């Protein structure tokens, strides 16, 4: 009975503030979310190689070469970091455990560090892709002026958890503010991925996935400087306009949608 209880506890998500510390997505749910993912060629290569290595565990163990199991992604918002975590989970056929920062971060002294330990303990005992977005909220440099002692405690716990992380799970972290991460945290990651705003070719590829080829070239020119997230929202707004007008989507719909959405574009 004790073994059964331990087994049940191992697969139960830890809780804080009366809620689960994470949201769980099955591989099938992850697959639905990544139907329209577009990765830069370099990042696609990194993901493919990462997955290939995980499939060659015995060969790497024979050569006494450690397996990669920690990825950090950095770049501006809306460029595909979160989607990449879903994509990895789908490719690896593992559940995605999306950590809830609102549950992890606690005002009581020491609670945040304790919660970090609990979620890593869960991932060590349950094969998954553990994903922590806005990683800078926990891994900020220890010489920050705000709540220095508490942040140092959290970062030290994170370092211990990263050093001890193993088993069949993969840890993925994402941040828009890589310069704020503690340098010791950076060194714990065996795989790093950089994200930028989509190129013209990326925009064409993504827009084709959203609306087909007919308007993709024009729209890609128009939406230069937009993130993937911006493009998606603008195209959805344009589609709604076309439906209201009871006609096929046209370029004018996209122009009007861009004007109304008014993203912070960087060309």
């Amino acid at each position: 009975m004790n073994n059964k209880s331990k087994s049940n506890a191992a697969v139960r998500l830890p809780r804080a503030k009366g809620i689960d510390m994470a949201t769980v997505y099955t591989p099938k749910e992850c697959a639905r979310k990544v139907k329209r993912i577009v990765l830069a060629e370099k990042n696609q290569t990194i993901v493919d190689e990462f997955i290939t290595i995980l499939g060659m565990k015995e060969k790497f163990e024979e050569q006494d070469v450690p397996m990669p199991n920690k990825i950090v992604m950095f770049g501006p918002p809306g460029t595909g970091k979160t989607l990449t975590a879903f994509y990895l989970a789908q490719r690896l056929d593992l559940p995605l455990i999306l950590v809830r920062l609102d549950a992890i971060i606690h005002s009581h002294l020491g609670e945040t560090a304790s919660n970090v330990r609990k979620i890593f303990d869960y991932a060590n005992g349950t094969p998954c892709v553990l994903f922590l977005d806005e990683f800078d909220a926990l891994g900020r440099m220890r010489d920050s002026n705000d709540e220095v002692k508490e942040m140092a405690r959290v970062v030290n716990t994170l370092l211990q958890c990263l050093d001890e992380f193993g088993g069949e799970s993969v840890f993925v972290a994402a941040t828009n503010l890589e310069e704020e991460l503690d340098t010791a945290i950076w060194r714990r990651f065996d795989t790093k991925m950089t994200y930028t705003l989509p190129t013209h070719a990326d925009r064409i590829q993504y827009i084709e996935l959203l609306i087909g080829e007919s308007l993709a070239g024009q729209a890609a020119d128009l939406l230069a400087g937009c993130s993937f997230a911006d493009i998606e929202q603008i195209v959805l707004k344009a589609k709604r306009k076309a439906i209201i007008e009871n006609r096929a989507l046209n370029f004018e719909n996209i122009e009007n949608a861009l004007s109304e959405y008014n993203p912070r574009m960087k060309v």
Side-chain angles (χ1 to χ4, degrees), residues 9-266:
V11 298
R12 188 181 303 126
L13 276 171
R15 294 171 67 83
K17 303 180 184 177
I19 58 175
D20 287 342
M21 287 188 194
T23 303
V24 181
Y25 294 88
T26 67
K28 282 188 177 180
E29 289 171 326
C30 292
R32 286 196 289 271
K33 285 187 172 288
V34 298
K35 283 181 179 178
R36 297 183 179 92
I37 188 171
V38 174
L39 286 175
E41 185 177 353
K42 183 178 180 180
N43 285 342
Q44 184 68 60
T45 299
I46 291 172
V47 169
D48 291 343
E49 184 177 273
F50 186 89
I51 291 168
T52 297
I53 291 171
L54 293 186
M56 300 173 67
K57 186 175 182 179
E58 290 182 4
K59 286 190 176 182
F60 280 84
E61 287 178 347
E62 286 173 8
Q63 300 292 326
D64 196 27
V65 176
M67 302 291 290
N69 65 354
K70 294 181 284 290
I71 298 174
V72 62
M73 305 180 287
F74 51 96
T79 50
K81 298 185 297 296
T82 298
L83 269 186
T84 301
F86 280 95
Y87 180 57
L88 274 164
Q90 181 252 319
R91 292 276 305 268
L92 294 169
D93 197 29
L94 289 172
L96 180 83
I97 309 301
L98 178 60
V99 177
R100 295 185 55 173
L101 283 176
D102 62 331
I104 290 281
I105 296 176
H106 206 289
S107 59
H108 292 168
L109 195 66
E111 280 296 310
T112 300
S114 175
N115 290 339
V116 167
R117 168 66 67 183
K118 288 175 184 176
I119 198 68
F120 271 90
D121 284 347
Y122 172 86
N124 278 324
T126 306
C128 65
V129 172
L130 179 65
F131 178 49
L132 209 166
D133 198 5
E134 298 181 34
F135 188 50
D136 47 277
L138 295 177
R140 289 202 304 271
M141 288 182 287
R142 283 168 286 184
D143 59 1
S144 300
N145 292 324
D146 57 330
E147 303 173 346
V148 177
K149 290 183 179 179
E150 179 64 7
M151 181 51 61
R153 181 183 287 109
V154 172
V155 171
N156 287 335
T157 299
L158 258 178
L159 289 170
Q160 292 170 4
C161 290
L162 290 171
D163 286 341
E164 297 164 4
F165 191 68
E168 303 298 318
S169 293
V170 171
F171 176 56
V172 181
T175 178
N176 305 330
L177 303 169
E178 65 271 19
E179 67 279 357
E180 294 191 12
L181 285 185
D182 192 277
T183 52
I185 294 282
W186 273 120
R187 292 197 297 268
R188 268 38 181 211
F189 286 91
D190 45 59
T191 307
K192 298 178 175 70
M193 299 174 68
T194 304
Y195 287 74
T196 59
L197 292 174
T199 64
H200 186 264
D202 292 336
R203 294 195 299 275
I204 288 178
Q205 185 180 351
Y206 187 56
I207 293 166
E208 285 179 350
L209 290 172
L210 294 173
I211 60 174
E213 296 181 8
S214 60
L215 297 172
Q218 283 180 286
D221 291 336
L222 179 69
L223 302 180
C226 288
S227 68
F228 286 118
D230 288 335
I231 292 170
E232 180 183 29
Q233 290 304 315
I234 291 165
V235 168
L236 286 174
K237 185 179 281 287
K239 282 183 172 181
R240 294 186 190 108
K241 290 181 178 297
I243 291 170
I244 292 171
E245 295 165 1
N246 194 29
R247 62 177 181 174
L249 179 69
N250 59 42
F251 187 64
E252 185 181 354
N253 294 141
I254 299 173
E255 287 180 312
N256 291 336
L258 170 62
S259 176
E260 289 180 14
Y261 186 73
N262 192 27
R264 294 182 178 180
M265 297 166 68
K266 297 178 181 179

